Amino acid sequence: MDTTTATVGGLVLALFGGVLLLWCAAEVRLRLRVRRRGVPAVATVLAEENVHGQLDSAPLLSFSVPPSVGGPGGPGGPGGCGIAGLVLARPRGHTPLRRPDRFAPGASVRICYDPRDPGRVVLAPGEISRVAVADLLWSALGVACLAAGAGLLAAVGG
């Protein structure tokens, strides 16, 4: 393999692996924080009108928030209208290949949402299984890319 190609390939793989690991860590941290400090609620799965939305494995959810939610510029903050709002959002961290049947339109789903940003939603513990497995697989992909990139760079340098 050409030295330049190996160097560029190693840099790209190492960069991709590092960014993927940082993204995985940030997502896991965000989901854990919202589950611990978020507001529990029950959301309804909405029917998708858009073909692309139907293909998304994360269901489109609808739920109500009280007027005090939303932070300084939100519905309950200064300058807000003080009216409870309806939020449409997709849950974070839901990455199966296809949507489970229990997320059919009209189904009720337990969630937790961030009171400062009600659009930041995660499924409540027990609503989805194997979340840790998906997190581990993404992390393993990041580590593998990082290791492959570092190996290419070491081979070029040595």
Side-chain angles (χ1 to χ4, degrees):
M1 183 181 293
D2 185 23
T3 305
T4 306
T5 305
T7 303
V8 170
L11 286 172
V12 168
L13 279 172
L15 181 66
F16 175 75
V19 169
L20 184 58
L21 284 174
L22 288 174
W23 175 77
C24 286
E27 276 293 313
V28 168
R29 182 174 177 257
L30 175 113
R31 288 194 319 257
L32 289 174
R33 189 180 75 231
V34 171
R35 282 191 184 116
R36 285 185 190 140
R37 298 181 185 158
V39 177
V42 175
T44 303
V45 178
L46 296 178
E48 302 276 350
E49 295 177 11
N50 186 346
V51 174
H52 299 292
Q54 293 172 356
L55 296 176
D56 193 343
S57 63
L60 182 62
L61 303 174
S62 169
F63 61 98
S64 297
V65 295
S68 61
V69 171
C81 60
I83 300 173
L86 185 67
V87 178
L88 299 176
R90 293 188 190 278
R92 304 283 298 249
H94 185 75
T95 56
L97 293 177
R98 63 184 184 97
R99 188 178 301 175
D101 294 333
R102 60 190 176 88
F103 293 136
S108 294
V109 179
R110 290 179 305 123
I111 61 166
C112 295
Y113 66 89
D114 185 348
R116 291 178 288 161
D117 182 7
R120 188 173 291 164
V121 177
V122 296
L123 295 174
E127 284 294 332
I128 185 163
S129 60
R130 294 180 259 159
V131 174
V133 172
D135 290 338
L136 286 174
L137 288 175
W138 283 110
S139 298
L141 178 63
V143 168
C145 288
L146 190 60
L152 275 174
L153 290 173
V156 169

